[in-house]
């Protein structure tokens, strides 16, 4: 599960239009020569000025009916408000696309609304009708795409009244304007230096020298002796705000002879990672660039539980050359010729491109989104959602309960914005695939070498306790008290400093998304990435696909002539792409069987200081109930993220946010038996998903148990994600137990769409066969989440990467890699029997 973005605030919707012929009540407006509508009383003085001033027009005020305002949602008892980001409102009674659009209007903010109002006036619409609303939605979505408003809303945020609970000093968080203009973030650069991890795929590429060799650094000096251990709390983590400041500042002052400590060291909160140089001490020599090198012990094992491996970013993969062609610069017709064309550069596309390129093929990668580097990240969730997420993260399913379904749209796809949690496919699930879908070639033993290869390249290591954050540690305390099974999560990182912003762009390049691992390795092997190029159609002759045509961001066309096509557009994009082609698909399963791992979160308030913003957001999991399809995973978030997702509004929301440092949040992910579908209706994409009664009952059990856990951990109040049960006190869970839960009362998100072009080795079944070839075609393959035939019960990125690697080896006719080091340890969640057998 990804802890992902909370849904952003959306308005409750426009006031219902008046009936035809009905007028607004008229009042006499001071300064106007004739009567004005009642709206003038509320500063909505559409006749040209504020109340009491003369109207602009010398001819006196115009008669008009006022457009109903988009107003803040009124909280319903026991229910979150739309204004605070209640996703349940998104889509309930509002079609998905409109919900998205309205969300976009809000994301673009008051300027977009002003624009919409202007439109209403300009075209003399008598009232705010659907035409005006539609135009406003389109305009604001277009504005979002081109990066409007230019300051990322920072200026507006400054004007906000009340306490500012954001973390302005995190990762150059004040640089909202710079992010929008593409300028570099100074603090991001300094942080990277601190973590000694030159970003793997920086624009400056191989010209960027290792830190120690740059001018002005003491590259030749010896490594500084390790700093003396600082006092720690019982659980090993320094406590409280003062402790955080002390952690960062005290050693600097000592080393600096009492001078002001270095800016970033003073500001950075979180345990100091190994290898961070205290200010004033000689800089240690970075180890020689190992291009993604991996330490292997004498017995051939790859260590996975070492704090140093987790925090050391010096072994990051670096591109020798950047082979990127920007679609925005392709304005005319362009044709390239390659052996293989890979469409999509996410968890599926990037590994297959890298392996094919290293196997000797010439490869072109087409990516609809742009390429982002650490310099584009400013750690502000709202800005980053607009830039890195498809449709600004406002995609939602339609059905008996709306589920917000964020997706990535950039080089690295959803891995750029995911939480970095890594699990292998549970063996019982693989066994079920063999029995149910005839996928014998995907047994645990057969996939083992590919798992090892992916985990080595992605550097999958376990989160050390001191980086897990207090949010995870209080939950662990509760789980230990109840005797429940759990462990620290394994993640794909190099040089993580526990800064807690993984899903909005890791500012230190620590999270190993495929854009800084597989994509640079593919470039090194000769592949080229075409960004801003949306593949539209394939051209077939004689039953074989001969080329792929793409529209470029510059308005041009790119044709890729190729012998082989690998579609990796993700579980939502792939069925839409394949459906649009003139292929003789031998299956009617395309776009069906969608599973999403629906998720929600329980929040709790403690007396102690937790500060969710510190530490890895998703660092601990509880698998006690994994056999029932329930996984609990960390879902901490920075204050701005929490503000969007807390189910309160107005004064109540303010109160909760003022106690942000005492709040904890943990996620529930359900291995779903419900299935949905993806289809295009005219220009709208509809993702249909109904939560069935079995999954609803699973959610009820899971929420009840997580509340029990919070009571065991010492919570003062618990907030379950159920409409009508806003808050629990005094150890109470009976209100949940006695409640007849309706799916519509749940607040749900999902991050793992799977199965819409599922693999099935049995003839006549499945969209792709056991080798992931699209049935009915000769040279079209699929390598992304859509081929995964069932719910997994665990986060899917490693499964997707592994299946993609296996596909590449199959296409190259190469045997499975047998030299990959075995990991010292790897997460093995307690899934002893497969669920989701209703698939
Ligand atoms: C917020 C969030 C948190 C997550 N956290 C985790 C986690 O901790 N652990 C985990 O295992 N999984 C996590 N996931 C899920 C995981 O990231 C995805 O399952 C995985 O990335 C899916 O891989 P994919 O290749 O199927 O699709 P994607 O990674 O989404 O890649 C698809 C790519 O194809 C591109 N594309 C689509 N259509 C076209 C076209 N027509 N032409 C060109 N390009 C196109 C898209 O722009 C995109 O870049 C998370 C997901 C999200 C959104
Ligand atoms: S916690 Fe996440 S965002 Fe912060 S350094 Fe680690 S991987 Fe990057």
């Amino acid at each position: 599960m990804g802890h992902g973005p909370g849904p952003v605030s959306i308005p409750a919707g426009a006031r219902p239009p008046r009936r035809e012929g009905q007028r607004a009540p008229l009042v006499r407006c001071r300064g106007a020569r004739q009567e004005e509508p009642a709206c003038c009383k509320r500063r909505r003085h559409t006749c040209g000025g504020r109340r009491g001033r003369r109207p602009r027009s010398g001819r006196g005020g115009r008669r008009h009916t006022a457009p109903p305002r988009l107003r803040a949602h009124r909280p319903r008892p026991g229910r979150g408000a739309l204004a605070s980001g209640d996703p349940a409102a998104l889509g309930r009674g509002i079609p998905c696309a409109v919900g998205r659009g309205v969300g976009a209007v809000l994301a673009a903010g008051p300027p977009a609304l002003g624009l919409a109002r202007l439109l209403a006036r300009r075209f003399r619409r008598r009232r705010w009708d659907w035409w005006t609303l539609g135009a406003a939605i389109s305009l604001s979505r277009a504005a979002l795409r081109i990066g409007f408003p230019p300051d990322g809303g920072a200026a507006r945020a400054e004007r906000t009244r009340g306490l500012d609970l954001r973390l302005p000093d995190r990762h150059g968080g004040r640089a909202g304007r710079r992010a929008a203009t593409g300028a570099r973030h100074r603090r991001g650069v300094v942080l990277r230096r601190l973590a000694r991890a030159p970003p793997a795929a920086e624009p400056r590429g191989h010209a960027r020298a290792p830190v120690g060799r740059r001018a002005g650094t003491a590259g030749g000096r010896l490594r500084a002796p390790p700093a003396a251990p600082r006092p720690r709390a019982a659980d090993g983590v320094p406590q409280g705000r003062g402790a955080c400041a002390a952690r960062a500042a005290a050693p600097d002052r000592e080393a600096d002879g009492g001078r002001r400590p270095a800016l970033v060291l003073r500001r950075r909160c979180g345990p100091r990672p190994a290898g961070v140089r205290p200010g004033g001490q000689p800089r240690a020599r970075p180890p020689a660039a190992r291009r993604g090198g991996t330490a292997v012990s004498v017995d051939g094992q790859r260590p996975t539980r070492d704090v140093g491996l987790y925090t050391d970013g010096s072994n990051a993969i670096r591109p020798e050359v950047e082979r990127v062609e920007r679609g925005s610069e392709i304005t005319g017709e362009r044709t390239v010729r390659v052996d293989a064309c890979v469409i999509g550069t996410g968890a599926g596309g990037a590994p297959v491109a890298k392996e094919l390129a290293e196997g000797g093929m010439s490869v072109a990668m087409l990516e609809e989104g742009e390429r982002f580097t650490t310099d584009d990240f400013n750690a502000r969730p709202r800005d980053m959602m607009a830039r890195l997420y498809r449709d600004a993260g406002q995609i939602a399913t339609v059905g008996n309960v709306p589920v917000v379904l964020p997706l990535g749209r950039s080089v690295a796809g959803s891995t750029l914005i995911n939480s970095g949690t890594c699990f292998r496919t549970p063996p019982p699930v693989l066994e079920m695939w063999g029995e149910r879908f005839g996928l014998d070639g995907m047994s645990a033993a057969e996939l083992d070498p590919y798992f090892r290869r992916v985990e080595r390249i992605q550097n999958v290591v376990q989160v050390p306790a001191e980086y897990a954050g207090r949010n995870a540690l209080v939950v662990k305390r509760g789980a230990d008290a109840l005797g429940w099974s759990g462990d620290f999560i394994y993640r794909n990182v190099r040089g993580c400093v526990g800064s807690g912003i993984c899903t909005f762009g890791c500012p230190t390049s620590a999270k190993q998304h495929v854009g800084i691992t597989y994509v640079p390795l593919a470039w090194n092997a000769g592949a080229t990435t075409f960004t801003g190029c949306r593949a539209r159609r394939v051209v077939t002759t004689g039953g074989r696909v001969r080329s792929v045509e793409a529209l470029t961001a510059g308005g041009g066309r790119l044709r890729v002539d190729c012998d082989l096509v690998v579609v990796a557009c993700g579980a939502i994009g792939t069925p839409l792409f394949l459906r649009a082609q003139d292929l003789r698909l031998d299956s009617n399963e395309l776009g069906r069987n969608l599973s999403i791992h629906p998720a929600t979160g329980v929040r709790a308030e403690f007396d102690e200081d937790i500060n969710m913003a510190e530490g890895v957001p998703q660092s601990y999991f509880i698998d006690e109930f994994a056999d029932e399809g329930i996984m609990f995973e960390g879902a901490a978030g920075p204050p701005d993220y929490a503000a969007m997702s807390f189910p309160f509004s107005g004064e109540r929301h303010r109160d909760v946010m003022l106690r942000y440092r005492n709040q904890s949040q943990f996620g529930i992910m359900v291995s779903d038996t419900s299935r949905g579908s993806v289809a295009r209706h005219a220009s709208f994409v509809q993702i249909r998903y109904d939560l069935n009664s079995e999954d609803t009952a699973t959610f009820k059990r899971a929420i009840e148990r997580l509340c029990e856990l919070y009571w065991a951990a010492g919570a003062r109040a618990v907030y379950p994600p159920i409409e009508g049960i806003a808050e629990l006190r005094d150890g109470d869970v009976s209100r949940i137990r006695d409640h007849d839960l309706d799916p519509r009362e749940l607040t749900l998100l999902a991050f793992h769409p799977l199965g819409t072009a599922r693999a099935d080795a049995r003839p006549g079944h499945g969209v792709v066969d056991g080798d992931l070839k699209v049935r009915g075609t000769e040279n079209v393959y699929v390598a992304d989440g859509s081929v995964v035939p069932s719910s997994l019960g665990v986060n899917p990125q490693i499964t997707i990467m592994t299946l993609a690697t296996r596909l590449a080896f199959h296409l190259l006719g190469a045997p499975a890699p047998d030299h990959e080091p075995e990991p010292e340890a790897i997460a093995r969640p307690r899934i002893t029997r497969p669920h989701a057998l209703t698939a």
Side-chain angles (χ1 to χ4, degrees):
M1 186 183 78
H3 81 284
V8 296
S9 304
I10 60 165
R15 193 184 292 173
R18 289 194 189 87
R19 283 194 310 277
E20 194 57 47
Q22 187 185 355
R23 290 235 178 99
L26 296 181
V27 294
R28 171 71 65 183
C29 178
R30 192 148 49 95
R33 287 188 202 151
Q34 59 188 90
E35 288 185 318
E36 293 289 342
C39 64
C40 296
K41 282 169 128 184
R42 287 184 272 122
R43 283 184 59 210
R44 296 268 141 199
H45 202 287
T46 48
C47 59
R50 291 183 176 215
R51 186 172 188 225
R53 290 203 203 128
R54 284 204 158 272
R56 266 191 226 135
S57 145
R59 286 176 286 120
R62 264 175 281 149
R63 265 197 176 192
H64 57 240
T65 51
R69 276 188 301 158
L70 291 177
R71 30 174 198 158
H73 175 74
R74 286 204 199 95
R76 282 175 278 147
R79 181 63 185 162
L82 290 171
S84 68
D86 177 3
L90 184 71
R92 181 175 300 163
I94 312 170
C96 169
V98 174
R100 239 191 301 157
V102 173
V105 171
L106 249 260
L113 289 176
L115 195 62
R117 228 176 279 136
L118 211 73
L119 263 181
R121 230 187 284 168
R122 167 73 184 79
F123 292 101
R124 295 176 191 277
R125 309 298 292 192
R126 291 193 67 231
R127 59 178 166 256
W128 187 292
D129 55 12
W130 285 113
W131 182 91
T132 324
L133 188 60
I137 289 168
S138 311
L139 275 170
S140 52
R141 287 181 68 186
L144 270 179
R145 281 213 186 97
I146 60 169
F148 178 85
D151 66 351
R156 273 199 312 283
E158 296 309 325
R159 290 198 298 270
T160 311
R161 284 193 302 133
L163 265 186
D164 188 356
L165 288 175
R166 291 168 301 143
L167 299 181
D169 47 2
R170 207 181 43 207
H171 310 321
R174 285 194 193 128
R177 183 179 292 278
R178 282 169 167 228
T181 54
R184 292 177 160 271
H185 294 292
R186 187 179 61 81
R187 237 167 287 152
V189 173
V190 182
L191 261 167
R192 283 195 295 280
R193 274 196 207 141
L194 283 172
R196 294 199 295 110
E202 282 280 292
R204 278 167 272 172
H206 63 298
R208 191 183 175 88
V211 172
R213 269 188 263 137
R214 276 187 227 142
T217 58
R221 294 187 208 161
L222 290 175
R223 185 183 288 273
R230 287 175 215 100
R232 286 183 183 278
D235 51 15
V237 175
Q239 305 244 331
R241 186 191 285 269
C244 179
R247 274 201 308 270
D252 302 330
R253 287 215 189 90
E254 282 162 26
D256 227 19
R259 270 186 291 129
R260 242 182 130 201
L263 189 66
V264 164
L265 285 178
R266 193 161 41 80
R267 283 178 169 164
R268 188 175 57 77
C269 281
R272 184 192 298 284
V276 169
R277 180 180 66 100
Q281 288 188 16
R283 188 182 290 277
R285 181 206 294 272
R290 280 176 284 171
R291 298 183 59 234
T294 305
V296 178
S297 65
V298 276
D299 49 359
Q301 285 193 334
R302 185 176 63 83
T304 55
R305 288 180 150 166
D306 192 328
V307 181
L309 286 173
Y310 189 84
T311 54
D312 181 9
S314 62
N315 58 354
I317 294 165
R318 285 160 216 161
E320 285 157 11
V321 58
E322 287 182 10
R323 298 179 203 276
V324 185
E325 300 259 0
R326 292 161 60 101
S328 53
E329 286 161 14
I330 304 175
T331 49
E333 302 272 334
R334 170 113 179 252
T335 304
V336 291
R337 163 83 223 164
V338 289
D339 295 328
C341 176
V342 179
I343 308 172
T345 56
V352 88
K354 174 255 180 194
E355 300 294 354
L356 290 180
E358 286 186 354
M361 286 193 186
S362 56
V363 178
M365 293 179 258
L366 300 186
E367 172 54 53
E368 182 182 358
E370 295 300 328
R371 176 173 170 240
F372 296 100
T373 67
T374 48
D375 292 319
D376 299 303
F377 304 149
N378 70 357
R380 287 190 188 280
R382 214 185 74 165
D383 294 353
M384 292 298 96
M385 278 173 70
R387 304 196 92 199
L388 310 181
Y389 284 68
R390 187 172 286 271
D391 288 340
Q394 295 301 307
I395 295 172
T397 64
V398 285
N400 62 355
V401 50
V403 185
V404 176
L405 184 66
L407 300 170
R409 182 179 176 266
S410 63
V411 170
S414 302
T415 69
L416 184 72
I417 50 165
N418 75 15
S419 305
T421 294
C422 294
F423 285 105
R424 287 187 180 189
T425 326
V429 173
L430 293 174
E431 273 166 36
M432 183 264 279
W433 290 1
E435 287 162 18
R436 178 77 201 264
F437 306 107
L439 298 170
D440 302 324
M442 294 186 189
S443 67
E446 300 230 17
L447 289 183
D448 185 61
Y450 302 109
F451 277 129
R452 291 188 194 185
R453 187 173 180 86
V454 167
E455 288 162 355
R456 173 182 60 80
I457 292 169
Q458 293 292 95
N459 202 50
V460 177
V461 286
Q462 193 175 28
V463 181
E466 53 266 52
Y467 286 84
R470 295 199 61 76
N471 185 53
L473 296 179
V474 291
V475 169
K476 179 176 180 329
R477 187 171 71 205
D480 290 347
L482 295 168
W484 290 357
S485 153
D487 201 356
F488 292 103
I489 278 175
Y490 286 76
R491 308 182 71 228
N492 49 330
V493 288
R494 285 184 168 102
C496 174
V497 294
S499 56
I501 199 83
C502 316
T503 53
F504 306 106
C506 172
T508 56
S509 274
K511 191 182 73 187
Q512 299 292 286
H513 62 80
V514 295
I516 56 172
T517 54
Y518 281 102
V519 172
L521 289 174
W523 293 336
N524 290 352
T528 304
T529 307
F530 292 87
T531 61
C533 291
R534 182 164 63 85
R536 243 183 82 244
R537 63 183 281 259
V538 293
V539 180
T540 41
T541 36
R544 282 185 75 82
V545 172
R546 304 289 170 183
S547 57
V548 179
E549 287 182 1
L551 292 180
T552 69
R557 276 166 203 276
L558 175 69
R559 203 179 85 193
V560 183
D561 293 338
C562 55
D563 302 325
L564 184 67
V565 179
V566 180
V567 184
C569 301
I572 304 300
T574 289
L576 298 174
F577 178 79
L578 288 178
R579 178 73 71 203
Q581 309 310 321
D582 189 17
L583 297 171
R584 279 176 290 110
L585 300 173
D586 272 359
S587 162
N588 59 1
E589 306 271 354
L590 187 65
R592 296 173 57 196
N593 309 308
L594 172 72
S595 66
I596 57 175
H597 285 160
T600 189
V602 174
R603 291 117 189 162
E605 193 176 308
F606 286 78
D607 289 324
E608 69 201 77
D609 187 81
I610 293 173
N611 190 8
M612 282 195 279
E614 277 187 26
V616 176
Q618 195 164 83
S619 55
Y620 194 75
F621 71 96
I622 295 170
D623 58 346
E624 180 70 22
F625 310 103
D627 262 351
E628 297 174 35
I630 299 169
M631 280 284 274
F632 297 135
E633 292 181 2
D640 19 16
Y641 157 70
M644 289 192 285
S645 60
F646 277 147
F648 300 109
S649 67
E651 276 301 305
R652 187 73 198 286
H653 188 262
R654 187 171 181 274
D655 286 349
V656 171
M657 284 309 297
L658 283 173
R659 295 196 299 276
Y660 167 79
R661 291 185 69 95
N662 305 100
Q663 306 281 353
S664 163
Q665 175 168 285
F666 218 69
I668 295 168
M669 184 177 90
V670 163
S671 179
D672 47 344
T673 57
S674 316
R675 290 293 178 267
S677 60
V678 182
R680 191 186 291 278
H681 302 296
S683 63
F684 286 108
V685 172
Q686 190 188 64
I687 307 171
R688 175 100 215 167
Y689 187 86
D690 289 297
L691 195 76
N692 65 22
S693 53
E694 192 178 328
D695 292 340
T696 309
T698 309
F699 265 114
K700 184 177 163 181
R701 274 201 307 278
I703 294 169
E704 188 185 322
R705 282 167 182 162
L706 197 45
C707 292
E708 277 172 20
L709 181 145
Y710 268 128
W711 293 133
R716 193 167 62 185
V718 174
Y719 309 108
I722 300 177
E723 182 174 340
I725 310 181
E727 184 176 332
L728 297 175
R729 294 254 168 196
D730 306 322
D732 178 26
V733 285
S734 59
R735 281 180 68 196
I736 300 176
R737 199 172 297 146
D738 301 340
H739 186 71
D740 185 14
L741 184 66
D742 187 294
R744 280 174 299 179
E745 294 168 337
L746 286 167
T747 300
L748 297 183
L749 293 101
F751 306 95
H752 306 155
L754 301 169
T756 49
R758 78 175 176 196
D760 195 324
R762 297 168 302 165
H765 291 79
V767 178
V768 297
D769 62 17
D771 294 329
L772 307 189
K773 181 156 78 76
V774 178
R775 288 188 185 281
T777 68
E778 282 185 35
N779 57 346
V780 183
Y781 293 79
V782 179
D784 59 26
S786 65
V787 300
V788 174
S790 78
S791 232
L792 298 172
V794 295
N795 311 49
Q797 64 168 341
I798 293 294
T799 301
I800 297 170
M801 291 177 199
T802 301
L803 294 182
T805 308
R806 175 180 171 272
L807 168 64
F809 274 72
H810 165 75
L811 293 173
L812 292 166
D818 55 1
H819 54 277
E820 295 294 342
E822 189 193 345
E824 171 198 0
I826 202 74
R828 298 199 190 280
R830 294 184 357 161
I831 297 179
T832 56
R833 61 188 172 85
H835 14 93
L837 271 172
T838 55

